Amino acid sequence: MHMLNVGHLVETLARFTHAINGKHVDEFEELRPAYIKAINTLRPDHLSAEAEGIKIGYEDSQWVDHCKQHGIFPHIVGPASPSDGPTREGWDREIIAALDLIEQIHPGLRQMVDLLVTDIVVLNSGADGGGSANQMPGVVMMSPGSTWLTLDYAMCIVHEGLHTSLFVLDSVYPMFTAPPAELEKDENRALSAVKIGEKRPLHAALHAAAVAVPLMFMEHSQGETTLVDQYTESLRDACDDMQTKRSLFTPYGLLILDEMTEWAKADPVNFFQVGQGITSEEFSGYRPQVAA
């Protein structure tokens, strides 16, 4: 699937950075610095991304103040309580272990995270989840549950990392023929693969379906079945519902939707195909259609 393929992300990220920076990336090693330069033009000056690595922050992070001021993720930042030193040290250990686990599950997923994620802000808010937003590129908000294991941290990071990847892909190759306000209308909503039984704006439904795939893959790789059992049918239903709204997708959006639908329809779903697709050259390129 193109949406998970690292080669496709690298190619698209190079187009993304060129559009913003006005400079071509010639070597892979130049891509992350070019991405940092690009997103720093989109982020507030006092919240610039650092050149290397992932910065971990907490409830006293300036990103939390930014979210509160702009009404972003109120369910995460609003109820966040103060964290002490041992709690923060525990979070740090889990995030480091989670990054190692992502590498173990599939190096391509770790490569996606290393390219796109610049900040992880961890909060004790009881939300048991995470968040990312296109107006905060590179930032992952995380509210770990009390029973979270290292795999849960890893899945949250990949989940939000893929959201960021989808933001980049959509900015270079738009997936929809209508603006977000049109996709939010009741008649254009579609079933969510994650919030089962709930209809969401079409762009949010596509994101939810997309991120379900690597989460199922990661759990399966560790011998777990909770999300596989929970999401398999809902992902099929979500894809079927989105297929009824094909006129709202661009050719690229249909490519993403059709590849995901084909995978979801298999019985059983083929996790080897997901792992292979993350690095397969088959999905690495995309040539946009040019008007005659």
Side-chain angles (χ1 to χ4, degrees):
M1 286 179 273
H2 280 79
M3 69 180 189
L4 289 175
N5 187 267
V6 175
H8 181 51
L9 172 61
V10 166
E11 178 187 272
T12 308
L13 195 57
R15 292 177 183 270
F16 175 82
T17 60
H18 174 256
I20 296 174
N21 299 338
K23 183 180 179 182
H24 288 289
V25 172
D26 296 319
E27 303 290 341
F28 176 78
E29 290 73 20
E30 299 173 1
L31 188 56
R32 164 78 180 204
Y35 169 69
I36 297 300
K37 180 179 179 180
I39 64 173
N40 279 344
T41 68
L42 307 174
R43 290 163 55 151
D45 290 341
H46 66 293
L47 291 170
S48 295
E50 296 183 357
E52 298 180 358
I54 297 174
K55 180 180 179 181
I56 302 175
Y58 316 98
E59 73 280 350
D60 52 0
S61 164
Q62 290 182 306
W63 279 114
V64 173
D65 294 336
H66 178 80
C67 287
K68 289 179 177 179
Q69 290 170 11
H70 294 85
I72 304 171
F73 305 128
H75 67 294
I76 297 177
V77 301
S81 59
S83 57
D84 57 21
T87 299
R88 294 184 176 188
E89 291 171 4
W91 285 335
D92 290 357
R93 286 194 299 271
E94 286 290 0
I95 289 171
I96 292 169
L99 292 170
D100 288 342
L101 180 57
I102 294 168
E103 174 78 22
Q104 175 189 321
I105 291 173
H106 200 299
L109 292 178
R110 175 64 188 270
Q111 194 171 25
M112 176 190 72
V113 169
D114 287 344
L115 278 172
L116 298 177
V117 177
T118 63
D119 301 80
I120 298 177
V121 181
V122 198
L123 304 169
N124 182 25
S125 69
D128 292 9
S132 54
N134 56 0
Q135 65 266 51
M136 295 166 51
V139 181
V140 171
M141 307 296 288
M142 179 187 292
S143 176
S146 59
T147 61
W148 274 25
L149 303 174
T150 301
L151 178 60
D152 297 294
Y153 283 85
M155 290 193 299
C156 182
I157 294 169
V158 169
H159 177 156
E160 303 306 337
L162 181 56
H163 275 306
T164 302
S165 179
L166 291 168
F167 293 141
V168 170
L169 297 179
D170 191 37
S171 66
V172 177
Y173 309 121
M175 297 182 187
F176 300 98
T177 60
E182 185 72 19
L183 303 177
E184 292 169 4
K185 292 182 177 180
D186 287 346
E187 63 268 25
N188 294 332
R189 290 175 173 256
L191 286 169
S192 170
V194 177
K195 296 183 178 180
I196 299 173
E198 180 179 326
K199 289 221 171 189
R200 303 187 67 191
L202 189 56
H203 54 300
L206 182 67
H207 270 240
V211 299
V213 177
L215 299 189
M216 294 165 66
F217 171 75
M218 293 176 74
E219 268 211 345
H220 175 78
S221 76
Q222 300 302 294
E224 302 288 340
T225 65
T226 302
L227 291 184
V228 177
D229 296 339
Q230 184 177 356
Y231 290 159
T232 298
E233 287 301 322
S234 65
L235 178 58
R236 290 169 181 160
D237 291 342
C239 288
D240 283 344
D241 202 12
M242 287 188 286
Q243 287 285 355
T244 68
K245 307 176 193 306
R246 292 179 66 85
S247 64
L248 293 169
F249 287 86
T250 64
Y252 181 74
L254 288 174
L255 173 70
I256 299 299
L257 175 61
D258 289 345
E259 289 177 346
M260 184 165 52
T261 301
E262 181 182 359
W263 181 79
K265 288 291 188 179
D267 188 14
V269 290
N270 187 342
F271 288 108
F272 176 79
Q273 184 182 8
V274 175
Q276 186 181 46
I278 292 172
T279 50
S280 171
E281 291 186 8
E282 177 185 355
F283 303 106
S284 62
Y286 176 72
R287 187 177 298 277
Q289 294 184 356
V290 178

